Amino acid sequence: MKIAIASGKGGTGKTTLSTNLASYLAESHKVVLTDLDVEEPNSGLFLNGELIHREDKYKMIPEWIQDKCTLCGLCQKVCNFHAIIQLGQQIMVFPELCHSCYACSELCPTEALPMIPQKMGELKKFNIGDLDFVESRLDIGQEQAVPLISQTNKFVDDNYSESVIKIFDAPPGTSCPVIEATKNADFVILVTEPTPFGLHDLSLAVETMKELNKRFAVVVNRYGIGNDKVLDYCKDNNIPLIAKIPNSRQIAELYSKGELIYKKVPEVKRQLENIKTYIEELMKGDSV
Amino acid sequence: MKIAFTTKGTEWDSMMDPRFGRAEYLLIYDEDEDKFTHYDNRAIANEAHGAGPQTAQKLFELAPNVLITGNGPGGNAATVLEKAGMKIFIGAGEMTVQKAYEAYKNKTLNEF
């Protein structure tokens, strides 16, 4: 079971829910939490584990070999991302724009653009009691999250069996990194806050999940602020609302200290129980 | 001397476009012949990525001696323009082309 935790709006509680839900589920299931917000991974701030594995991650970038090039210009024609251009007698490659699609390299008639690995970030795996935690982090200056997210997904697929519950802390928004982080999920939890801004971005995230044909549900965080529009929206659109995490100063204080909340706030634990029950039902349904 | 401007129109009283990569027009003024030519760059709006280097590549082909623009090119575009050996002046984003040209002549624009 792969569960992605996403949101439209940033700062609604993806990481809070991811870390608390993963730790809570790990009390009764085999669980791995993966932080796919590779531009600014922060789940690790709440999980103090032992580092058990670390590897560098690379993406493939074409390198121009002047002696072999006939300046035919095909490479710049086939590049959809304008990552390679011809300037007079020169070919220039812009690694930050390159999507590693290999088109220029494969189609070059004189093999003047071999693909060379370039380091883009690192992946780490930790162990925190019964919970495994995987985190990837882009290097400073790297602009593209998608290749690292994709490779991190692959790492989790290769290292954990089908029966493990896999929770993915996704990046915010609705753009490419979010698509990459949610497209393989069996179920997506959209975290929102009950405010007009929260609702606006939730509706964008809902449209995105519909487009991806995803099964999804909503969790309202900081319940008690704002208004009832998010609840009405979920009801009107038949979207399951599976938990409401209350707004409270105690939760904010625990969060600010990097502590897990459900261990100290019984109401949060009850809400996580609701989510757990929902997930277990889904798993039962899927295994039939 | 050929001078390029990033603009929103094709005349002396057109406004400058402060953006480089996504500038609507590249307007070239040939001082020797006292003539304008322009390149319509508006199709760049459809490009999600790489507007900077693409516009820079176009400018490379147009080969002016000087570029006058607003915010200045980003890193990728700057690398391309550097290869062309073009002098770049910035800070003219909110002017008309005429005013930008005068500011350049009076040496009140900053060199990039």
Side-chain angles (χ1 to χ4, degrees):
Chain A
M1 184 79 172
K2 293 183 187 171
I3 303 164
I5 300 188
S7 71
K9 188 178 173 301
T12 56
K14 285 179 300 299
T15 298
T16 304
L17 182 64
S18 298
T19 51
N20 280 276
L21 181 63
S23 302
Y24 175 67
L25 287 173
E27 292 173 3
S28 53
H29 295 79
K30 183 93 190 85
V31 180
V32 55
L33 169 65
T34 306
D35 196 340
L36 291 180
D37 191 0
V38 300
E39 286 171 277
E40 40 194 351
N42 60 349
S43 284
L45 298 174
F46 302 89
L47 304 165
N48 300 309
E50 185 196 346
L51 178 68
I52 45 182
H53 176 77
R54 169 187 180 286
E55 60 187 79
D56 286 337
K57 286 296 185 189
Y58 296 86
K59 66 175 184 176
M60 302 300 281
I61 301 291
E63 189 176 84
W64 182 52
I65 303 191
Q66 188 168 7
D67 296 347
K68 289 189 176 181
C69 180
T70 60
L71 298 168
C72 72
L74 184 63
C75 51
Q76 71 166 358
K77 258 184 235 148
V78 300
C79 183
N80 263 337
F81 306 99
H82 311 299
I84 187 159
I85 62 175
Q86 185 175 354
L87 280 184
Q89 304 292 303
Q90 276 200 354
I91 301 290
M92 282 180 78
V93 177
F94 297 96
E96 316 85 72
L97 296 171
C98 176
H99 283 53
S100 308
C101 77
Y102 282 67
C104 62
S105 184
E106 294 285 322
L107 294 170
C108 175
T110 57
E111 296 178 349
L113 287 164
M115 298 296 278
I116 308 290
Q118 187 193 70
K119 183 168 175 287
M120 63 173 163
E122 62 172 16
L123 178 150
K124 288 178 178 168
K125 183 175 145 180
F126 301 85
N127 187 258
I128 311 107
D130 294 326
L131 176 68
D132 275 8
F133 171 54
V134 176
E135 168 194 275
S136 281
R137 185 179 296 264
L138 270 183
D139 286 347
I140 291 170
Q142 292 292 324
E143 294 179 26
Q144 283 181 48
V146 171
L148 186 53
I149 293 173
S150 159
Q151 288 189 31
T152 307
N153 269 326
K154 187 173 181 312
F155 176 89
V156 173
D157 279 344
D158 291 347
N159 287 276
Y160 295 91
S161 73
E162 287 285 316
S163 63
V164 178
I165 297 181
K166 304 175 186 81
I167 297 188
F168 298 91
D169 186 3
T174 51
S175 62
C176 298
V178 178
I179 308 295
E180 192 65 30
T182 53
K183 71 178 189 191
N184 297 318
D186 302 303
F187 177 54
V188 179
I189 298 177
L190 298 174
V191 190
T192 189
E193 59 182 31
T195 61
F197 192 178
L199 174 59
H200 175 270
D201 285 8
L202 172 66
S203 65
L204 295 178
V206 165
E207 292 310 312
T208 308
M209 291 309 131
K210 283 184 177 163
E211 190 67 30
L212 290 172
N213 283 320
K214 289 291 152 193
R215 218 163 31 174
F216 62 93
V218 166
V219 168
V220 173
N221 189 22
R222 302 191 66 197
Y223 180 63
I225 62 168
N227 56 35
D228 287 338
K229 294 269 172 64
V230 167
L231 308 190
D232 296 343
Y233 170 83
C234 291
K235 207 168 167 190
D236 294 346
N237 291 280
N238 294 317
I239 299 166
L241 201 164
I242 58 175
K244 294 177 209 159
I245 298 168
N247 185 52
S248 92
R249 186 178 174 93
Q250 188 193 4
I251 291 175
E253 283 176 2
L254 289 167
Y255 171 88
S256 73
K257 291 180 203 153
E259 290 187 39
L260 292 175
I261 293 155
Y262 78 96
K263 294 189 174 175
K264 298 206 171 140
V265 185
E267 175 56 20
V268 172
K269 192 170 181 175
R270 267 195 294 280
Q271 295 298 322
L272 292 180
E273 241 171 70
N274 291 344
I275 301 175
K276 180 183 159 192
T277 309
Y278 194 89
I279 291 168
E280 285 170 347
E281 286 299 317
L282 287 180
M283 285 164 62
K284 241 186 263 169
D286 287 353
S287 65
V288 172
Chain B
M1 198 73 151
K2 278 164 77 184
I3 301 167
F5 302 85
T6 56
T7 65
K8 295 183 169 175
T10 58
E11 289 159 18
W12 276 121
D13 57 1
S14 301
M15 286 307 290
M16 293 286 290
D17 193 329
R19 302 166 301 175
F20 176 75
R22 294 183 184 277
E24 292 183 33
Y25 295 92
L26 299 173
L27 186 64
I28 315 280
Y29 177 57
D30 189 325
E31 286 184 306
D32 303 333
E33 299 187 20
D34 188 23
K35 252 175 44 186
F36 275 128
T37 49
H38 72 267
Y39 172 73
D40 186 341
N41 197 42
R42 286 175 294 180
I44 204 83
N46 302 323
E47 299 288 352
H49 307 276
Q54 230 186 324
T55 300
Q57 184 183 27
K58 193 68 218 175
L59 204 57
F60 185 93
E61 287 167 17
L62 298 170
N65 309 95
V66 172
L67 165 67
I68 298 174
T69 184
N71 306 331
N76 289 334
T79 319
V80 175
L81 297 177
E82 201 178 299
K83 296 229 187 266
M86 213 173 287
K87 272 194 178 298
I88 305 171
F89 293 90
I90 58 171
E94 305 302 323
M95 304 175 185
T96 61
V97 175
Q98 177 85 52
K99 290 272 183 247
Y101 179 65
E102 284 165 12
Y104 160 70
K105 281 293 177 190
N106 296 332
K107 301 193 186 327
T108 56
L109 295 178
N110 292 325
E111 188 161 356
F112 182 68

